[in-house]
Amino acid sequence: LKPFWLKPASVQASTPVPPQRSTLAAAMSFAKQIVVDCRGHLLGRLSSIIAKELLNGQQVVLVRSEDVNMSGSLYRAKLKYANFKRKKTNSNPRHGPFHQR
C-alpha cells in the first residue's frame, strides 16, 4: 500500500514546476516613471540611455534639460548641423529627406 500523498510517477513528471523568479527579473521590473535630472550630463550619452529605456517601454520624464552639457565647440556643431541640412536627393530635391526648421 502506498501513502495517499504520493502520486504516480507519470503524474509527478508531467506537473510543471513554477520557475523561481531570478534576481535579474526582479531588477528589471518597471517603475511607473523614471525621473532623470539632466543637469551636468553629456547630451549624446544621456540620449542613448534614455532611448534604450523608451525602447523597453519605460515611461521617462526629463527634468532640467536646459542644463545639459554639449561637448565640442559651437562652431563645429554648427558645421555638422549645416552638413546635415544640406543632404537632399540627387534626382529630385522635392522627394526628401525633409529637415524641418
Side-chain angles (χ1 to χ4, degrees):
L1 232 122
K2 291 185 179 179
F4 67 93
W5 62 83
L6 285 179
K7 295 179 182 175
S10 62
V11 174
Q12 285 181 351
S14 66
T15 55
V17 177
Q20 297 294 325
R21 192 170 178 170
S22 67
T23 56
L24 179 62
M28 300 261 314
S29 64
F30 292 117
K32 278 191 171 181
Q33 289 180 340
I34 294 179
V35 179
V36 179
D37 185 10
C38 299
R39 185 172 188 218
H41 292 284
L42 286 175
L43 177 66
R45 306 220 177 195
L46 181 67
S47 61
S48 65
I49 293 170
I50 298 301
K52 189 63 174 177
E53 291 293 328
L54 290 172
L55 287 173
N56 285 334
Q58 181 67 50
Q59 188 175 9
V60 179
V61 177
L62 302 176
V63 181
R64 296 197 294 186
S65 58
E66 66 274 1
D67 294 333
V68 72
N69 293 338
M70 294 176 64
S71 63
S73 67
L74 182 63
Y75 179 72
R76 182 171 180 267
K78 284 183 178 179
L79 286 179
K80 282 173 44 177
Y81 183 69
N83 191 20
F84 170 73
K85 294 285 288 182
R86 190 172 45 88
K87 292 185 182 350
K88 294 182 180 177
T89 310
N90 285 336
S91 60
N92 189 351
R94 288 182 289 159
H95 288 167
F98 301 110
H99 306 294
Q100 303 299 326
R101 294 191 191 273

